[in-house]
Amino acid sequence: AEPHVSDGPAAQHFEFDRTPVDISTVQMRIMARRTVNVTHGSIVGAADPLPDSSVLVIESVTQGATTFQQGADWLFVGGQIDWSPNGAEPAPGSSYSVTYQHKTLATPQNLTATSLDVVGSVAGTLIELTYRHKLRRIDAIVIDADGQIGAVRGVPHQREPAPPVIP
């Protein structure tokens, strides 16, 4: 995965490190911010699952004007908001908001064989670009002793292709 650092959720332009890229193979993983409404379980101290499985950071847990504190009120365990600490918690069956950062596949914008734009990533987080690229090669077009036109292939290489040896 080719690494880049995000400047924030606004469109950000990146040139691929290795070109040309087979655009049908491009995958982009970003850290995105999401706020979801979660319904608290039916008992006090229940653990409530989040809809995304790749949550890395919980930024806030709120209900109305109340902000619940990590460690004192809730824990983040196994992709769930665990209300087992003896602090404050929402009433069973009520809804509350969770804002978090999660790793997700994102759709590249303005994708070409040499570049793309990224939208929606959290500032300062890692963007991973995965793709297949074509190796560079220098070929030679030659005319043999009989006047026939042909091609002699060079040696492909990622950075410095070698020209072919002409017979």
Side-chain angles (χ1 to χ4, degrees):
E2 180 179 304
H4 295 275
V5 177
S6 171
D7 285 342
Q12 186 176 356
H13 185 76
F14 290 107
E15 301 285 331
F16 290 111
D17 287 347
R18 294 177 177 87
T19 59
V21 167
D22 177 354
I23 63 172
S24 69
T25 65
V26 175
Q27 285 190 336
M28 179 173 61
R29 287 179 177 77
I30 65 171
M31 289 300 293
R33 179 174 285 117
R34 184 171 182 201
T35 300
V36 297
N37 287 323
V38 176
T39 301
H40 189 30
S42 60
I43 60 170
V44 172
D48 304 320
L50 296 173
D52 294 296
S53 61
S54 58
V55 175
L56 184 64
V57 176
I58 304 289
E59 294 180 349
S60 68
V61 177
T62 61
Q63 185 179 49
T66 304
T67 299
F68 300 100
Q69 301 303 312
Q70 185 171 8
D73 300 327
W74 57 271
L75 304 170
F76 180 54
V77 180
Q80 300 183 88
I81 302 296
D82 179 353
W83 295 98
S84 62
N86 290 327
E89 76 177 88
S94 67
S95 291
Y96 60 95
S97 293
V98 181
T99 300
Y100 56 85
Q101 295 177 22
H102 67 110
K103 190 173 187 179
T104 186
L105 281 174
T107 303
Q109 307 293 312
N110 305 318
L111 179 61
T112 71
T114 59
S115 66
L116 57 71
D117 291 343
V118 176
V119 177
S121 59
V122 176
T125 62
L126 181 66
I127 297 170
E128 297 175 332
L129 305 176
T130 304
Y131 55 86
R132 293 180 63 181
H133 69 283
K134 300 170 185 170
L135 294 176
R136 298 174 185 178
R137 187 177 75 203
I138 299 172
D139 296 339
I141 297 177
V142 297
I143 299 178
D144 66 15
D146 297 327
Q148 297 296 315
I149 297 176
V152 179
R153 291 184 173 193
V155 178
H157 192 270
Q158 279 188 352
R159 306 242 186 246
E160 298 176 17
V165 175
I166 307 298

